[in-house]
């Protein structure tokens, strides 16, 4: 179970990282979202994987580690804020620059730089 | 307290000139002089106490953890320097008043000058090494401002930069040296450092520390090989040169060597290095002073030479040598300040400083000629003037020092040679300017300067004579105190004009005669030297600066090419390298805990997760498909949370997923539907390898952690959740109570992101496609009937659910975050079903205030606990009983959670509703005219 979990986290991170290396904004945003899933899963697993653990206090029982859960909960919400900001920024960049390349320059400038 | 005021008054004085600059020049000069004058009076008022042998100290803590304190001392050495700094500084102010033309920004000039004065006073009075260093750096900065005061001139800018680089770099070395020194002694307090001379010199790090400290001192005092910056600093206005380069700034290094004398001197290393560097500087400076053809150039190099002389004496380090060094500091300050000022007067009245264009000025300005001659003679070491006395002492010491072992006889020879050169260049300065018949006419017709402009020169010239005639009466007491401060014990000495016929006197005589001869021969000497190409220090310096700049640019161009892909690649590569390094250190990947078996559901889930993740990547050029696959990943992640006993996370992930997808869909509407095929094959391979390698590293890391039993601090939370936080849902209690401060930060970030997005969307105009990527026109059925009907029925229900989730959050899965997201989703559904206009009409309020109020409520709840004398965000709770409803529990954490709820709703809707609004003003169906008018209305 542990190895399967680890492999899943790794694959999701690799997918996200590959997309982050793309040159257009939308795939990068998708990549960021994927990566934040992977990171959340990774952080969540820091407390160990508990099956059928209790989360509500009710006498002495086998509890799931609540701390990573609390951290990941806020991370999910912050991740949303970050994704939203990135995607709106890319819209703005497209509106102002006329293209959706990640470098945030107008087409002419980019060509000049390439020369 | 008086000590604090002496140090503080000049510092406060920096503020005076800018405040009174518009009150006229006269008032400005007078007001500027007031505070330093007061500081001078205060300094003098301490003399009786010093004579009585009191140790004057002031200290107050500043940053005790670093050993830094505001500590000042006033001993003989500080007194000597304080008198020079404040006394000469005041005369320089008077001189500058006449020197600067009325159009120049004198307020600024005075402010810089006083800042410099204040930092020098700070250096000489600091009783703590770190404090001393801070003032030291302040002198570098203020002298940079002063040298570059005429910032329109290229030579001023370059000279200032060079001075800053050299003295600033020296300052850094000095800091390193001080830190080492402080470490050896265990304190930065001056008294303890000075008393710990033996400990320091026995320490194996002593040579390193000494090298660093001397580097700082030599750079500041323009000792060889750092002498090159001083002549270029002559681009400064003459009052600055007269002040910084005669009496103060360049003496800071010398001061430091004198101050730390008990701690550092008295060993072979010190004697050897310091006296040899000093001797080299002495001869080098004297030689170039003779070769220069411009007044201030000669003075600059002669200053270098005299600083070398003082350094030699400090290097020799015997009690009489220290006395001679201090005496020469005093004498040099007086005659050199006078010479600089008369050079300024000559420049001012004739319009040139070139020797070739000057001559015979004695006729036009006889008084100045007389004054300059006196000062020049003092510099040359003519008997009955102050320079003669200290030079005589220097010659005597050079005869006695054993510094070079068998070659020690070279020291007096070199000293005499320095004396010869100094006579020759002094003669050039005086004779060539005032008494030789002129070869060319100067640009302006020369005449005597204003009476008061000459006053400082007169004072200094008179001092040269008086000290020369009555050394004991004039300087004896001061020198007695100063030597006592340096040597830490009183020294018996007697300053006399006549010591009988002895070797030093003979050396002086040789120097005088040979110097006069050299002056007459030097024309031939110059002709001979024309064959050599002079090396200009500035050229070398500028070239190396430019080379450094070009190298940095080349390096930057490689690293920082304004390509996000490059940055990301570098970032990931570094992450990979560091993570792998860490993993290599681990002896074995698998830990001690056994793996648990995999069941069918888990396997299916994992395979689905992996495939939808890979699918997202493979389909990334077809953005809508990629997005749909991404949502699948999100759902599966949410199920994973549910599977591993995290219901709160599952709920949060699910609702965030909904909001994210709506957001991304909406954004995709404005962006190209497809990604062009851009990346080359090698780049794709490189990225795949990099991402893949990182994936492997992350897998290994995660596996390594999962198979190890890690100690957790969660026991505390589990134990205290009910008794301490009054809630059974530990996750929620952690969020709103134990780690409430973190949560407060997080909702603040959320609200800020919302505000930033609001701002980004402001006046954004985007192209609105009529059709999707395949060319299919959007459906005309904009608000489908079924959705409209259901959403309206669903809204109250969804709001009810969110209230329920919110209320039970403290004890069962739920809470402000999840409830807020559910409310947001319900409202967004309404927007989608009915359109922004319709919803806006009914939900007639802005979301920005909601988010801000939410953060505010959460923050204020925390403040509330202060009222009860508890730390920030302490929660309180209690059981209540209401008839009909029954027992329930209320906690202040609920109010905090309400803030979280409001912030989440506000921020989410701020983001989505504002993004939705972008679509409305210019929908494809509406005509362009209507679109522009509505856009205008919006503004």
């Amino acid at each position: 179970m542990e190895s399967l979990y680890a492999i899943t986290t790794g694959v999701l991170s690799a997918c996200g990282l590959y997309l982050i290396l793309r040159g257009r904004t939308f795939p990068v945003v998708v990549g960021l979202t994927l990566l934040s899933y992977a990171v959340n899963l990774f952080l969540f697993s820091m407390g160990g994987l508990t099956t059928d653990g209790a989360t509500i206090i009710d006498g002495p029982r086998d509890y799931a580690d609540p701390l990573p859960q609390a951290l990941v909960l806020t991370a999910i919400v912050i991740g949303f804020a970050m994704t939203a900001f990135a995607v709106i920024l890319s819209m703005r960049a497209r509106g102002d620059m006329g293209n959706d390349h990640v470098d945030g320059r107008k087409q002419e400038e980019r060509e000049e730089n390439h020369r | 307290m008086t000590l604090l005021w002496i140090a503080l008054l000049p510092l406060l004085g920096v503020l005076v000139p800018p405040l009174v600059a518009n009150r006229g020049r006269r008032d400005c000069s007078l007001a500027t002089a007031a505070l330093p004058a007061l500081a001078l009076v205060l300094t003098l008022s301490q003399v009786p106490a010093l004579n009585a042998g009191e140790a004057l100290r002031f200290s107050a803590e500043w940053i005790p953890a670093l050993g830094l304190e505001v500590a000042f001392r006033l001993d003989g050495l500080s007194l000597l320097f304080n008198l020079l700094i404040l006394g000469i500084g005041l005369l320089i102010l008077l001189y500058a008043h006449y020197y600067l033309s009325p159009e120049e920004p004198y307020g600024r000039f005075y402010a810089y000058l006083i800042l410099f004065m204040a930092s020098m006073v700070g250096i000489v009075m600091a009783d703590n090494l770190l404090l001393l260093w801070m003032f030291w750096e302040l002198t570098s900065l203020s002298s940079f401002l002063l040298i570059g005061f005429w910032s329109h001139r290229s030579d001023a800018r370059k000279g200032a930069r060079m001075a800053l680089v050299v003295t600033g770099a020296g300052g850094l070395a000095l800091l390193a040296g001080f830190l080492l020194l402080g470490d050896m002694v265990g304190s930065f307090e001056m008294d303890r450092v000075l008393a710990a001379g033996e400990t320091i010199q026995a320490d194996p790090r002593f040579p390193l520390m000494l090298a660093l400290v001397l580097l700082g001192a030599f750079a500041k005092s323009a000792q060889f090989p750092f002498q090159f910056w001083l002549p270029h600093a002559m681009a400064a206005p003459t009052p600055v040169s007269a002040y910084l380069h005669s009496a103060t700034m360049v003496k800071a290094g010398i001061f430091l060597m004198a101050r730390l004398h008990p701690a550092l001197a008295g060993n072979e290393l010190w004697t050897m290095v310091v006296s040899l560097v000093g001797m080299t500087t002495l001869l080098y400076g004297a030689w170039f002073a003779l070769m220069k053809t411009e007044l201030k150039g000669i003075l600059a190099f002669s200053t270098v030479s005299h600083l070398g002389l003082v350094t030699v004496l400090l290097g020799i380090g015997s009690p009489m040598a220290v006395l001679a060094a201090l005496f020469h500091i005093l004498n040099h300050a007086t005659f050199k300040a006078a010479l600089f000022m008369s050079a300024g007067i000559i420049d001012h009245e004739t319009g040139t400083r070139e020797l070739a264009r000057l001559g015979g000025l004695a006729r036009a300005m006889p008084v100045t000629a007389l004054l300059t001659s006196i000062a020049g003679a003092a510099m040359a070491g003519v008997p009955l003037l102050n320079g003669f006395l200290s030079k005589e002492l220097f010659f005597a010491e050079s005869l006695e020092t054993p510094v070079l072992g068998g070659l020690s006889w070279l020291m007096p020879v070199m000293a005499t040679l320095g004396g010869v050169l100094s006579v020759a260049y002094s003669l050039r300065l005086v004779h060539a300017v005032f008494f030789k018949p002129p070869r060319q006419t100067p640009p302006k017709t020369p005449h005597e300067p204003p009476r008061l402009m000459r006053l400082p020169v007169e004072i200094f010239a008179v001092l040269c004579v008086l000290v020369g005639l009555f050394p004991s009466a004039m300087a004896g007491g001061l020198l007695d105190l100063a030597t006592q401060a340096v040597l830490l014990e009183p020294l018996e000495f007697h300053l006399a004009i006549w010591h009988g016929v002895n070797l030093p006197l003979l050396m002086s005589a040789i120097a005088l005669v040979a110097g006069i001869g050299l002056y007459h021969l030097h024309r031939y000497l110059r002709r001979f030297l024309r064959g050599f190409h002079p090396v200009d220090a500035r050229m070398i310096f500028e070239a190396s600066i430019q080379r450094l700049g070009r190298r940095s640019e080349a390096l930057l161009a490689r690293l920082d090419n304004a390509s996000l892909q490059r940055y990301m690649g570098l970032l990931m590569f570094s992450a990979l390298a560091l993570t792998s390094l860490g993993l290599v250190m681990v002896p074995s990947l698998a830990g001690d805990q056994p793996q648990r078996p995999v069941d069918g559901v888990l396997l299916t889930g994992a395979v689905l997760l992996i495939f939808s993740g890979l699918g997202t990547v493979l389909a990334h050029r077809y953005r809508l498909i990629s997005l749909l696959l991404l949502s699948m990943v999100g759902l599966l992640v949410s199920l994973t949370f549910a599977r591993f006993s995290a219901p709160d996370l599952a709920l949060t992930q699910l609702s965030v997923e909904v909001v994210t997808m709506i957001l991304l869909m909406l954004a995709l509407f404005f962006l190209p539907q497809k990604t062009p095929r851009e990346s080359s094959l090698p780049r794709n391979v490189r990225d795949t390898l990099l991402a893949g390698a990182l994936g492997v590293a992350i897998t290994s890391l995660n596996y390594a952690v999962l198979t190890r039993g890690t100690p957790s601090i969660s026991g505390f939370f589990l134990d205290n959740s009910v008794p301490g936080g009054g809630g059974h849902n530990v996750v929620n209690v952690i969020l709103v109570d134990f780690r409430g401060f973190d949560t407060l930060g997080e909702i603040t970030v959320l609200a800020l992101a919302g505000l930033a997005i609001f701002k980004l969307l402001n006046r954004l105009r985007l192209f609105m496609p009529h059709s999707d990527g395949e060319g299919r026109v959007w459906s005309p059925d904009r608000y489908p009937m079924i959705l409209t009907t259901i959403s309206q029925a669903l809204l109250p229900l969804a709001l009810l659910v969110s209230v329920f989730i919110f209320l039970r959050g403290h004890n069962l899965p739920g809470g402000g975050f999840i409830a807020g997201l559910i409310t947001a989703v319900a409202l967004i559904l309404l927007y989608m079903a009915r359109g922004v206009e319709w919803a806006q009409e009914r939900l007639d309020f802005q979301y920005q205030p909601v988010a801000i109020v939410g953060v505010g409520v959460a923050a204020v709840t925390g403040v509330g606990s202060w009222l009860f004398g508890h730390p920030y965000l302490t929660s309180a709770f209690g059981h209540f009983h209401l008839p009909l409803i029954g027992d329930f529990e209320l906690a202040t954490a609920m109010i905090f959670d309400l803030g979280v709820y409001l912030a989440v709703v506000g921020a989410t809707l701020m983001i989505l509703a504002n993004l939705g609004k972008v679509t409305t003003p210019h929908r494809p169906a509406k005509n362009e005219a209507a679109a522009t008018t509505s856009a205008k209305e919006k503004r």
Side-chain angles (χ1 to χ4, degrees), chain A residues 1-2 9-10 18 21-22 24 37 45 49-51 53 55 57 65 69 74 92 94 100 103 105, chain B residues 562 564-565 595-596 623 643-645 657 659 670 678-679 684 687 699 702 712 714 728 746 760 762:
Chain A
M1 191 166 84
E2 277 76 8
T9 323
Y18 176 81
L21 288 170
R22 297 302 90 211
R24 298 284 165 163
Y37 291 149
S45 72
L49 300 174
T50 321
T51 309
T55 51
I57 300 286
D65 193 339
Q69 293 195 19
T74 48
R92 180 88 217 189
R94 185 172 189 227
D100 67 337
D103 291 351
R105 271 170 290 175
Chain B
L564 185 73
Q565 287 167 284
Q595 286 223 40
R596 276 167 287 174
R623 295 181 172 180
R643 168 68 179 74
F644 292 112
S645 330
E657 196 51 38
V659 186
F670 295 99
E678 265 183 334
S679 306
N684 266 325
D687 291 354
T699 300
N702 201 358
S712 169
S714 294
H728 292 267
E746 268 143 355
L760 274 176
N762 190 22

Side-chain angles (χ1 to χ4, degrees), chain A residues 73, chain B residues 648 729 731-737 740 743 747 802 805-820 854-855 857-859 861 873 891-905:
Chain A
L73 199 153
Chain B
D648 282 288
N729 181 1
V731 175
N732 186 267
V733 174
I734 292 177
L735 283 177
V736 298
D737 193 336
T743 311
I747 56 174
S802 72
I805 293 269
F806 174 78
L807 286 178
R808 72 179 213 153
H810 217 45
N811 291 313
L812 289 167
F817 274 111
I818 301 166
V855 176
V857 166
T861 315
L873 279 172
T892 53
M894 290 282 264
I895 308 175
F896 183 81
D897 217 13
L898 182 67
V900 173
Y901 170 82
L902 287 175
V904 171
V905 173

